[in-house]
Amino acid sequence: MIYLHIFFCKFVLQTYRIMKNASNILKAIIIASLLLILLIFSFQNLDAVSVDFFNLKSKEIPFFIILIGVLAVGILIGYLIGLISGSKISKRKLDKLNIKANERIAEAEEKSVKLTQEIKIAATSKLPTTETK
């Protein structure tokens, strides 16, 4: 029976590792395909364009460089937003863990006080003594 349990645990662990590797492989495939699409797009859009932003005008540069720059800025902004929201989530989890820890400490202190009182009661009560003659 115990061997079956050990086998099952090993099976679950191996399945988890395979799924984790499959997830990484899927991510790599998606990233590689996006890079390939970006590469094809950049070779098809070599036309020089100028960008006007308020009163600022840029020199004429290839369109794909502008697109890659905008993409890089978008990725950076998304990464920073993820860091900020991730830290908020982590802080919430930490707060919940602190609350649980404080509750457990309070419970342990209550038990300690009860046990101390029981020990004092037992020590002060007269135990029956046996007299030896």
Side-chain angles (χ1 to χ4, degrees), residues 20-36:
K20 187 175 178 184
N21 290 338
S23 173
N24 290 338
I25 291 170
L26 182 63
K27 288 177 188 176
I29 291 171
I30 291 171
I31 290 172
S33 62
L34 289 175
L35 288 176
L36 181 65

Side-chain angles (χ1 to χ4, degrees), residues 57-68:
K57 292 186 179 185
S58 71
K59 295 181 180 179
E60 289 193 1
I61 54 177
F63 179 67
F64 77 92
I65 292 178
I66 295 171
L67 185 70
I68 290 173

Side-chain angles (χ1 to χ4, degrees), residues 12-26:
V12 169
L13 185 61
Q14 288 174 351
T15 305
Y16 172 74
R17 288 180 183 155
I18 290 170
M19 293 303 289
K20 187 175 178 184
N21 290 338
S23 173
N24 290 338
I25 291 170
L26 182 63

Side-chain angles (χ1 to χ4, degrees), residues 21-124:
N21 290 338
S23 173
N24 290 338
I25 291 170
L26 182 63
K27 288 177 188 176
I29 291 171
I30 291 171
I31 290 172
S33 62
L34 289 175
L35 288 176
L36 181 65
I37 291 170
L38 184 64
L39 184 67
I40 292 168
F41 180 82
S42 65
F43 281 120
Q44 291 181 351
N45 292 287
L46 294 174
D47 300 332
V49 294
S50 65
V51 177
D52 297 331
F53 185 69
F54 293 113
N55 289 331
L56 302 172
K57 292 186 179 185
S58 71
K59 295 181 180 179
E60 289 193 1
I61 54 177
F63 179 67
F64 77 92
I65 292 178
I66 295 171
L67 185 70
I68 290 173
V70 170
L71 178 67
V73 169
I75 289 172
L76 180 65
I77 290 172
Y79 177 74
L80 293 175
I81 289 173
L83 283 178
I84 292 169
S85 65
S87 66
K88 287 181 182 178
I89 291 171
S90 296
K91 186 176 182 205
R92 286 184 202 139
K93 287 181 180 178
L94 185 61
D95 289 342
K96 287 180 182 179
L97 288 174
N98 282 335
I99 291 170
K100 286 182 182 178
N102 289 335
E103 289 173 354
R104 288 184 180 175
I105 289 171
E107 290 174 5
E109 287 175 351
E110 289 175 8
K111 288 180 182 178
S112 175
V113 168
K114 287 180 183 178
L115 288 174
T116 304
Q117 290 172 351
E118 289 177 8
I119 290 172
K120 285 181 183 178
I121 291 171
T124 57

